[in-house]
Amino acid sequence: MGRPALIDRDVVLATGLAVADDHGLDALTMAAVAARLSVTPMALYRHVANKADLLDGIVELLLTEFPPPPVGPWADRLTALADAIRTSAQRHPAVFPLLLQRPATTPRARRARTSVYWALKDAGVAADRIEQTERLISTAILGFAVSEAAGRFRHHSRRQLDADFAQLQALLGSFIESESQIAGAGPGGEGAPG
Amino acid sequence: MGRPALIDRDVVLATGLAVADDHGLDALTMAAVAARLSVTPMALYRHVANKADLLDGIVELLLTEFPPPPVGPWADRLTALADAIRTSAQRHPAVFPLLLQRPATTPRARRARTSVYWALKDAGVAADRIEQTERLISTAILGFAVSEAAGRFRHHSRRQLDADFAQLQALLGSFIESESQIAGAGPGGEGAPG
DNA sequence: ACCTGAACACCGTTCAAGT
DNA sequence: ACCTGAACACCGTTCAAGT
């Protein structure tokens, strides 16, 4: 067998993300990633198939930043997840928009989606309405996070955007309650008894 | 003075859009656009400053496809606009996502935004709530249209996505009504009298 | 097994030159 | 004024070669 590896796939992806964070998506080239790793561009091809695979891997890496939601009432769990998504977008504005371009079928994407499913179940949403409800709220949250990260709101103040995001979360919260089968379900844990 | 022009900015932008529609964003190169116009790549630089300017111009061209909404009740006008946005996204999936990356400060973008303002005013939304309300509904509609165009929903059926979009529009409609200061304002023209 | 060096087709962009 | 031809730095990717 050969010599010890200098790099592996994970550091290639993490380095690619760092390059994009620091200098933008246009600056994310194979040569730039390689230079950060003190390695030849061609060395990367043992760890990623090509540049598209590198981008896919970086998007996948982004999903890692969405922490498992805390235990607690369903509304708190969804709020925490939405805040984590927005924070991740702010931290990685160059690559975050790519998230909209990949179907969420990888294990990590499924994990994030499943935690939303559980929250909606606890909120009292009917089983056959959970998937559609998840798509609606995820799309709205991602749409905001991407818009903010990509610069569509660049002429608005941070204070204004915080208020916008809070309003969006409130709207989605009341939508979920309207879908709830639990009479008078508030943002509590398992809904009102009886 | 010189010789008659073979091309102008509008045909360069339209040709760029056509290349992206036919072969994707990666295939949208200066050389490809020039070839379609039977011209040298360098000839394009008299009409667009550089490739970024070409992309900006194409995004601007997209806004042209949003027709002025019909006269009628505010809800019908907003529905028509939302449908036009989604249709444009479906027709131009490669470039539509770029719309999220530009602040809507150009005249054409402002025109589209203004027609939403008027609809919200007619719906009875308070003057100091109109701009935030417009951002919320535009972000949700654009988020859906971009997600669909960019492929995030590629594993879902057309029928399912139609239902999702209808549900999103219904949610936004009831949100607007909840913001209305006109008691019992339905989706009618100018709200209930008195 | 992992990395390097040389090479290729292609890309955006410039500059000076033609009409 | 508008377009062309030649040229440059850079990009993704291949292949054969080194250890």
Side-chain angles (χ1 to χ4, degrees):
Chain A
M1 35 224 77
R3 52 176 165 180
L6 294 178
I7 56 179
D8 60 24
R9 181 172 232 262
D10 283 341
V11 326
V12 170
L13 300 181
T15 304
L17 179 58
V19 169
D21 288 347
D22 290 353
H23 303 108
L25 197 58
D26 287 344
L28 175 53
T29 67
M30 302 298 274
V33 175
R36 272 219 192 195
L37 292 167
S38 303
V39 125
T40 309
M42 296 71 79
L44 304 179
Y45 284 86
R46 190 149 306 266
H47 307 283
V48 296
N50 47 41
K51 191 175 177 185
D53 184 41
L54 172 67
L55 291 173
D56 283 352
I58 290 174
V59 170
E60 186 71 8
L61 188 59
L62 242 41
L63 296 172
T64 294
E65 287 201 354
F66 305 168
V71 293
W74 63 265
D76 291 354
R77 281 181 277 154
L78 290 181
T79 299
L81 192 53
D83 288 342
I85 288 171
R86 187 182 176 211
T87 298
S88 178
Q90 289 169 337
R91 232 189 314 240
H92 309 293
V95 296
F96 196 87
L98 300 179
L99 214 53
L100 286 185
Q101 323 219 9
R102 320 256 90 233
T105 52
T106 63
R108 282 176 189 166
R110 209 179 297 267
R111 179 170 62 70
R113 199 147 28 94
T114 300
S115 66
V116 177
Y117 287 163
W118 282 108
L120 294 178
K121 182 183 188 312
D122 290 349
V125 176
D128 64 354
R129 297 283 307 136
I130 283 184
E131 294 194 18
Q132 186 176 26
T133 304
E134 185 275 334
R135 283 196 298 276
L136 190 148
I137 66 179
S138 294
T139 300
I141 294 292
L142 276 177
F144 182 92
V146 170
S147 290
E148 183 182 28
R152 189 163 74 95
F153 297 141
R154 80 181 60 141
H155 296 303
H156 298 272
S157 69
R158 173 63 191 254
R159 160 191 282 269
Q160 182 63 258
L161 296 179
D162 286 349
D164 283 11
F165 194 63
Q167 167 113 64
L168 176 60
Q169 286 183 290
L171 170 62
L172 296 176
S174 65
F175 170 64
I176 293 167
E177 284 176 38
S178 79
E179 288 276 325
S180 174
Q181 295 182 311
I182 302 171
E190 306 303 310
Chain B
M1 39 224 75
R3 56 174 161 180
L6 294 177
I7 56 178
D8 61 25
R9 180 171 233 261
D10 283 341
V11 326
V12 170
L13 301 181
T15 304
L17 179 58
V19 169
D21 287 347
D22 290 352
H23 302 109
L25 197 57
D26 288 344
L28 175 52
T29 68
M30 301 300 274
V33 174
R36 273 219 191 196
L37 292 167
S38 302
V39 126
T40 310
M42 295 72 80
L44 304 178
Y45 284 87
R46 190 151 306 266
H47 307 282
V48 297
N50 48 40
K51 190 175 178 185
D53 184 41
L54 172 67
L55 290 173
D56 283 352
I58 291 174
V59 170
E60 187 72 8
L61 188 58
L62 243 41
L63 295 172
T64 293
E65 288 202 353
F66 305 168
V71 294
W74 63 264
D76 291 354
R77 282 180 277 154
L78 290 181
T79 299
L81 192 54
D83 288 342
I85 288 172
R86 186 181 176 212
T87 298
S88 177
Q90 289 169 339
R91 233 189 312 241
H92 310 292
V95 296
F96 196 88
L98 300 179
L99 214 53
L100 287 185
Q101 321 218 9
R102 321 254 90 235
T105 53
T106 64
R108 281 176 189 167
R110 209 179 297 266
R111 180 170 62 70
R113 200 146 28 94
T114 300
S115 66
V116 177
Y117 288 163
W118 282 108
L120 294 178
K121 182 181 189 311
D122 290 348
V125 176
D128 65 353
R129 298 283 308 134
I130 283 185
E131 293 194 17
Q132 186 175 26
T133 304
E134 184 276 333
R135 283 196 298 277
L136 190 149
I137 67 179
S138 294
T139 300
I141 294 292
L142 277 177
F144 181 91
V146 170
S147 291
E148 183 183 28
R152 189 163 74 95
F153 298 141
R154 80 182 60 142
H155 296 303
H156 299 272
S157 69
R158 174 63 191 255
R159 160 191 282 269
Q160 182 63 258
L161 296 178
D162 286 349
D164 283 12
F165 194 61
Q167 166 112 65
L168 175 61
Q169 286 183 291
L171 171 62
L172 296 176
S174 65
F175 170 63
I176 293 168
E177 284 177 39
S178 79
E179 288 276 327
S180 175
Q181 296 183 309
I182 302 170
E190 305 304 310

